[in-house]
Amino acid sequence: SPQKQSIFFSKITYSGRIISFMASFLTIIIFFLICFELGIHRYLALGLSFIYSFIPLDVGLSIQSKSNALMVFIVLLIFYLCLRWLKEGRDWQIWGASLLVGMATGAYLNGFLSILIVILAILLKYKFEFYKFFFRRIKKTNLFLTFNQTNDFV
């Protein structure tokens, strides 16, 4: 019946709007965390986040069912994880940022360009000696594989 179809399609539209709204809301939180990580005082970071929340583009995208709001959130999350990795050096942060590059690409094709943020973070961490990043991982992997092979024979 037409009435059931209109209810079904309105629920799909609202669920898409909820995802866009939540992505925009989380973008404001990530924006605050990025400002805080960059050394900006928390009240100023809160004010900047408040100003960001009134940008017409962000408000317009948060009430529509568009993937742009989700991509902006994912790209800012990639930037935040790369900042944290540069400060703390935990490998899961850079691997998570790399995984999010794929999600940003899935949300919107231009999200592929966020790989540049990850590459820049790796270059900054290893002072433009990019090969050290991979050799460090290869040594860990070889040690792990050798350890597993010796345990199989014991």
Side-chain angles (χ1 to χ4, degrees):
S1 71
Q3 188 177 20
K4 287 182 181 179
Q5 287 178 349
S6 67
I7 290 173
F8 175 73
F9 286 116
S10 67
K11 287 182 181 179
I12 289 176
T13 304
Y14 285 124
S15 66
R17 288 181 179 180
I18 288 172
I19 292 171
S20 295
F21 169 74
M22 289 303 295
S24 294
F25 178 72
L26 292 173
T27 300
I28 294 167
I29 293 172
I30 292 294
F31 188 78
F32 171 76
L33 292 174
I34 288 172
C35 290
F36 197 68
E37 278 296 314
L38 292 175
I40 298 173
H41 193 267
R42 63 180 164 185
Y43 293 121
L44 183 59
L46 187 64
L48 290 172
S49 300
F50 185 72
I51 291 170
Y52 175 79
S53 68
F54 284 105
I55 292 177
L57 180 65
D58 190 54
V59 173
L61 291 176
S62 68
I63 60 172
Q64 297 175 3
S65 180
K66 300 272 187 186
S67 62
N68 297 349
L70 187 60
M71 192 202 64
V72 170
F73 165 68
I74 293 173
V75 169
L76 283 179
L77 187 58
I78 290 168
F79 185 69
Y80 176 70
L81 285 175
C82 288
L83 276 178
R84 298 290 293 181
W85 181 68
L86 287 172
K87 285 189 174 185
E88 296 175 3
R90 296 182 184 160
D91 285 342
W92 67 267
Q93 293 166 334
I94 196 69
W95 294 115
S98 300
L99 177 70
L100 287 171
V101 168
M103 295 175 91
T105 305
Y108 202 74
L109 193 56
N110 293 341
F112 180 71
L113 295 174
S114 60
I115 190 71
L116 297 175
I117 299 170
V118 176
I119 291 172
L120 182 65
I122 293 171
L123 290 175
L124 287 173
K125 179 81 169 187
Y126 292 100
K127 297 178 180 55
F128 292 94
E129 295 174 351
F130 197 64
Y131 62 91
K132 286 184 179 179
F133 177 75
F134 292 107
F135 285 138
R136 184 174 158 210
R137 300 304 175 273
I138 289 171
K139 286 179 184 177
K140 283 183 179 179
T141 306
N142 285 341
L143 180 66
F144 178 72
L145 291 175
T146 307
F147 182 71
N148 279 343
Q149 289 171 356
T150 56
N151 282 341
D152 289 340
F153 297 113
V154 175

